[in-house]
Amino acid sequence: MEKLIGREQEILNLKKYTSSNRPEFVAIYGRRRIGKTFLVNNLFEGKMAFSMTGVIGGSADEQMEAFVDAMHEYNKKTIVRPQNWMEAFRILKEYLKRKVKLKRRCIVFFDELPSMDTQRSNFVRALGYFWNSWASLQDNLTLIVCGSATSWMIKNIINNKGGLHDRITHELHLHPFSLHETELYLKSKKFKWERLSVLHAFMALGGVPYYLSLLNSNESFAGNIDRLFFSEEEELRREYKRLYSTLFNTPDSYINVVTALSKSRKGLTREELCKYLGINSGGHVSTWLEDLVNCDIIRKYSVKNKSSNGNSAIYQLTDLYTLFYLTFIKKAETETNYWRNHIGTPEINTWLGLCFERVCMAHVNQIKAALGIDRISTHFYSWRSKNSLPKAQIDMVLERADGIINLCEIKYSEAEYSLDNAESIKLRNRTEAFRQETATKAALWPTLVTTYGLHKGVHSSTFVETITLDDLFK
């Protein structure tokens, strides 16, 4: 099996959960193609007492057939097809009783769990009874459940209000790769790209391992993008609807939300979003937003100002694959070499700047480490003014417990960034607007986050600190 790349903390956690001296119920969730199944199968290959995978989109009969096939695979005996999930878990229990007596760790894995919960199947209720009545009493048993339908996993397993309430011993949210992990993965595939090309791949594919696996080391980044999105193969053009259909039962509502958020660089408040969509701000909006946050598609962040007496929430599209798709796909429906034909154009340059901001937001811990404040309590948010003219906004604010606030200006550049007089004045005005509107007494440190550092010039001293692309890869 292919070697695991990255996931160091997740591996340590899973090894701990499968070597404890108590029963463990582990729920793993995360978006489609993020590597949940690969992680479990790679880590516990040949060590599972039982494993089955739900049939995505399958009927109740097909789910039960999958159970029978899995039971035959492990038990090596033909069983009578269960009539329902209560009976299926009873058969599983009788089989596992022999396994737990061996005193070795007994690992049971249910993959694509949401698929098994077909209409009126009572699957979750039967799973809860299996765990509460027997599995939770076996000190050497670990039950691992996994699913791409993140909202279903959180609602029905992690936050279950019935028989599984508070029964999960550990939850593991598998996130996209960081830049560091993306670089490790590409190096393992014999890519010899410079870090700027790795950054570009991350911007388009969002650190999703399966998407990265589709890249060809013999092609340039531009060639890969044209093949994956704009050629007759266009594997990642077709992925978009599959992604949202897998994550959500009513994908169109969620697609409408992310489409609206893709139009705004800094994001929208709930009220702004509802106005854009022409809908009332009801409970369903809360569900959509919460689900999208849990699936790593959007982020919710605070905007701090004095006039609102606190923080107000902004929702911003952060899934880079979704952002790439919504930005370019409809513009290039008939152009097979779209990317290579438009390199250096304003539309791609604008996208590069926009995505670099999103990348930096996903690497706040690396930025803090580069500033030497990773052990200092720090509140992270973005800011936009309400009173200043012209309206001021600051990409990233790091409010530190040591009385200093880093006001981070994020700039994509393919060379050293040069600060001219006009930009220097704008930066000073934004800093002053922030001081007045937040009424802060802290020291304000203008901080540049860019690719290749700051060109030394007349105005370079405007920035107190500079973070580079190499810092983001650590």
Side-chain angles (χ1 to χ4, degrees):
M1 183 175 286
E2 187 179 346
K3 181 183 177 183
L4 273 169
I5 301 296
R7 306 300 191 200
E8 289 92 350
Q9 189 59 53
E10 291 88 349
I11 291 170
L12 287 173
N13 288 341
L14 283 172
K15 285 183 176 179
K16 180 173 67 175
Y17 306 154
T18 53
S19 60
S20 71
N21 57 359
R22 65 171 194 170
E24 302 283 8
F25 191 168
V26 183
I28 304 176
Y29 61 96
R31 59 172 291 161
R32 167 182 162 92
R33 306 295 202 183
I34 207 65
K36 304 178 295 297
T37 303
F38 179 76
L39 173 64
V40 176
N41 285 338
N42 192 296
L43 202 55
F44 303 117
E45 184 180 15
K47 300 178 182 178
M48 294 186 197
F50 179 80
S51 171
M52 80 160 283
T53 301
V55 182
I56 297 176
S59 65
D61 286 342
E62 289 172 318
Q63 307 301 338
M64 202 57 72
E65 284 298 322
F67 173 81
V68 172
D69 287 347
M71 183 56 66
H72 177 71
E73 178 73 21
Y74 282 90
N75 199 22
K76 306 303 180 184
K77 295 180 180 179
T78 301
I79 64 169
V80 178
R81 185 181 181 279
Q83 296 300 305
N84 52 57
W85 280 110
M86 287 293 288
E87 187 177 337
F89 278 110
R90 187 159 52 247
I91 293 170
L92 177 61
K93 179 179 73 174
E94 293 305 315
Y95 159 69
L96 291 175
K97 279 182 177 179
R98 303 195 301 272
K99 295 291 184 178
V100 296
K101 286 181 179 179
L102 298 176
K103 300 303 179 182
R104 295 195 298 267
R105 195 70 189 179
C106 186
I107 302 173
V108 178
F109 179 40
F110 284 94
D111 194 14
E112 294 299 346
L113 194 75
S115 298
M116 303 176 202
D117 187 35
T118 55
Q119 192 172 15
R120 293 190 292 276
S121 69
N122 294 321
F123 171 79
V124 175
R125 190 179 304 171
L127 175 63
Y129 182 76
F130 167 75
W131 177 257
N132 292 327
S133 65
W134 182 78
S136 63
L137 305 176
Q138 313 308 312
D139 288 340
N140 61 333
L141 187 142
T142 298
L143 174 60
I144 303 174
V145 297
C146 180
S148 297
T150 301
S151 56
W152 187 96
M153 289 289 294
I154 292 175
K155 178 182 178 181
N156 293 282
I157 303 298
I158 295 170
N159 294 335
N160 185 281
K161 303 300 182 184
L164 286 177
H165 176 67
D166 235 10
R167 294 299 188 266
I168 298 296
T169 58
H170 303 283
E171 59 180 277
L172 195 62
H173 185 175
L174 212 60
H175 298 284
F177 276 168
S178 65
L179 279 171
H180 169 69
E181 290 171 315
T182 298
E183 184 177 49
L184 287 178
Y185 181 86
L186 293 178
K187 283 183 176 180
S188 75
K189 300 297 182 182
K190 311 303 181 184
F191 280 76
K192 295 181 180 179
W193 286 359
E194 63 175 344
R195 281 185 165 175
L196 191 67
S197 293
V198 176
L199 172 66
H200 290 167
F202 187 88
M203 287 174 166
L205 307 181
V208 177
Y210 175 76
Y211 301 167
L212 294 170
S213 74
L214 300 177
L215 294 171
N216 186 335
S217 62
N218 294 321
E219 293 180 311
S220 66
F221 167 74
N224 273 286
I225 291 301
D226 278 333
R227 174 175 54 83
L228 293 173
F229 286 96
F230 306 116
S231 71
E232 292 181 0
E233 297 178 36
E234 57 182 31
E235 289 182 79
L236 290 182
R237 179 192 287 258
R238 297 190 297 270
E239 167 70 8
Y240 183 71
K241 289 186 178 179
R242 295 172 186 162
L243 169 63
Y244 286 90
S245 295
T246 302
L247 289 175
F248 311 112
N249 289 329
T250 56
D252 289 347
S253 299
Y254 294 90
I255 288 174
N256 289 339
V257 171
V258 297
T259 301
L261 293 178
S262 72
K263 308 296 184 183
S264 174
R265 188 181 188 105
K266 297 300 179 184
L268 300 171
T269 65
R270 180 192 176 108
E271 292 70 25
E272 290 169 341
L273 176 64
C274 291
K275 183 178 179 180
Y276 182 93
L277 294 174
I279 60 175
N280 295 322
S281 183
H284 54 285
V285 178
S286 297
T287 300
W288 298 340
L289 293 172
E290 184 178 347
D291 287 347
L292 286 166
V293 169
N294 288 331
C295 292
D296 293 319
I297 303 295
I298 69 173
R299 75 174 178 119
K300 177 183 179 181
Y301 70 93
S302 300
V303 175
K304 188 171 184 177
N305 56 68
K306 181 175 61 174
S307 57
S308 65
N309 194 29
N311 298 331
S312 55
I314 301 288
Y315 295 91
Q316 183 186 51
L317 175 61
T318 52
D319 179 56
L320 297 174
Y321 165 76
T322 297
L323 183 61
F324 184 92
Y325 181 93
L326 293 174
T327 302
F328 293 110
I329 293 303
K330 288 187 177 180
K331 295 179 182 179
E333 290 180 342
T334 60
E335 194 170 351
T336 56
N337 289 318
Y338 178 86
W339 200 256
R340 279 171 284 197
N341 290 341
H342 289 77
I343 291 174
T345 61
E347 56 190 344
I348 287 185
N349 290 338
T350 298
W351 171 79
L352 288 168
L354 175 66
C355 279
F356 188 60
E357 288 181 18
R358 303 293 205 278
V359 170
C360 292
M361 297 298 181
H363 291 78
V364 174
N365 288 337
Q366 285 82 356
I367 291 172
K368 289 174 59 179
L371 293 170
I373 60 171
D374 45 323
R375 295 185 179 275
I376 298 176
S377 177
T378 304
H379 181 44
F380 152 59
Y381 56 93
S382 299
W383 179 83
R384 60 184 185 184
S385 71
K386 286 193 172 183
N387 304 325
S388 67
L389 291 175
K391 295 293 185 181
Q393 55 190 31
I394 297 174
D395 302 323
M396 179 189 297
V397 179
L398 299 175
E399 188 170 336
R400 300 153 45 171
D402 60 359
I404 296 171
I405 298 177
N406 290 91
L407 304 180
C408 299
E409 187 79 5
I410 300 174
K411 294 292 185 183
Y412 175 84
S413 176
E414 297 190 0
E416 287 187 333
Y417 178 73
S418 295
L419 184 66
D420 59 24
N421 184 60
E423 279 297 315
S424 178
I425 292 172
K426 287 180 183 178
L427 183 63
R428 295 177 193 277
N429 288 341
R430 281 195 290 271
T431 302
E432 187 56 33
F434 178 87
R435 185 186 303 280
Q436 290 183 11
E437 292 193 29
T438 61
T440 182
K441 303 297 183 184
L444 303 181
W445 285 11
T447 301
L448 176 65
V449 185
T450 188
T451 45
Y452 292 115
L454 178 63
H455 177 73
K456 298 301 180 183
V458 176
H459 303 286
S460 58
S461 61
T462 302
F463 290 110
V464 178
E465 302 269 12
T466 300
I467 306 299
T468 68
L469 182 59
D470 286 342
D471 294 319
L472 302 183
F473 272 86
K474 293 179 180 177

